[in-house]
Amino acid sequence: MNLWKSLSSLLIAPTCPLCDRPSPRFFCRDCDRQLHACQFDRPAADWQGDLPIFAWGKYEGTLKRSIAALKYNGQPQIAQPLGLWLGEAWQQTMQIPACAIVPIPLHAAKQKQRGYNQATLLAESFCQATRLPLASDALWRIRSTEAQFKLGAIDRAQNLANAFAVNSAFRQRSAGVLLLDDIYTTGATVNAAASCLQQQGIRVRGVIALSRTAKR
Ligand SMILES: [Zn+2]
């Protein structure tokens, strides 16, 4: 046993990753409450149309801050509870056959810089909760794209054209796939990913997002 490790775990109380206050739970009580204040009452309200959307919460406040911490502050562990909540909400709401879960990939250069893809981490945790199969390398991001938030809707779509490719080793299940991402904004990213999969004859049943901006 590593003595130093066991000593320091006794001396250093765990802290909440969002506010740094000591907390025996992963998120402290305050942050947990603020996160759940962002949760949608009806996550499947937009489960309709060609590319239906299931979103856990509104992209604002503490949920927005936690996603920023996950992506930009090197706190990948935040994906674990958030992916679990997303999975629990899915299980309570949806009855869809066992589709494979395909996280929206990052370009390799960006992933190397960040050290991980937050959508893959969320999908791993989501799949633990739902027991749906994870297909984390079904899709590749072959073109580095400009940060989407700087662009308008038409520019977003153009920016993403041909950004994705399907891994030739991916074998689809008859039930099809579900895309999973951290934020749903205009839908430009998931639409580009979905059309890439559909061109290969893969059925895309919908999009699962941890958060989304204002409703359509
Ligand atoms: Zn906190």
Side-chain angles (χ1 to χ4, degrees):
M1 183 190 272
N2 184 330
L3 183 64
W4 172 244
K5 225 176 188 173
S6 14
L7 273 176
S8 53
S9 70
L10 285 173
L11 297 170
I12 303 165
T15 55
C16 169
L18 298 181
C19 68
D20 277 335
R21 285 180 293 191
S23 169
R25 305 191 311 173
F26 186 84
F27 293 119
C28 72
R29 200 183 294 256
D30 273 354
C31 290
D32 193 278
R33 188 178 45 76
Q34 286 167 28
L35 281 166
H36 278 95
C38 304
Q39 186 176 3
F40 289 134
D41 293 334
R42 292 167 57 232
D46 283 314
W47 195 262
Q48 56 196 317
D50 289 341
L51 199 59
I53 299 139
F54 180 95
W56 185 84
K58 196 169 179 188
Y59 184 62
E60 63 172 18
T62 306
L63 183 57
K64 185 175 178 177
R65 209 155 55 75
S66 72
I67 293 170
L70 164 63
K71 288 165 80 165
Y72 307 117
N73 291 354
Q75 303 212 61
Q77 74 279 16
I78 289 177
Q80 225 279 324
L82 297 182
L84 207 65
W85 294 349
L86 181 58
E88 285 167 358
W90 174 265
Q91 275 201 305
Q92 284 160 15
T93 317
M94 305 298 282
Q95 273 102 35
I96 293 215
C99 310
I101 302 300
V102 177
I104 295 293
L106 291 179
H107 188 263
K110 198 183 226 177
Q111 182 158 337
K112 195 174 176 195
Q113 186 189 20
R114 191 169 292 169
Y116 51 87
N117 174 7
Q118 71 283 348
T120 303
L121 298 183
L122 288 167
E124 281 171 2
S125 182
F126 176 91
C127 289
Q128 278 170 15
T130 56
R131 299 186 176 275
L132 289 174
L134 177 64
S136 52
D137 51 5
L139 209 55
W140 298 101
R141 199 152 187 150
I142 50 172
R143 209 158 62 76
S144 181
T145 47
E146 244 187 279
Q148 289 287 98
F149 62 82
K150 294 178 191 159
L151 305 170
I154 294 166
D155 290 340
R156 280 178 185 226
Q158 280 168 359
N159 186 37
L160 284 156
N162 308 315
F164 297 98
V166 176
N167 185 343
S168 57
F170 176 65
R171 296 279 169 268
Q172 84 155 318
R173 298 173 149 238
S174 53
V177 302
L178 289 159
L179 293 167
L180 190 147
D181 209 357
D182 52 342
I183 309 166
Y184 179 95
T185 312
T186 62
T189 307
V190 287
N191 279 318
S195 59
C196 176
L197 286 156
Q198 284 155 352
Q199 277 164 25
Q200 302 297 315
I202 296 164
R203 181 178 179 193
V204 181
R205 301 187 65 129
V207 178
I208 300 167
L210 174 63
S211 69
R212 70 171 300 172
T213 51
K215 300 256 178 180
R216 283 175 293 189

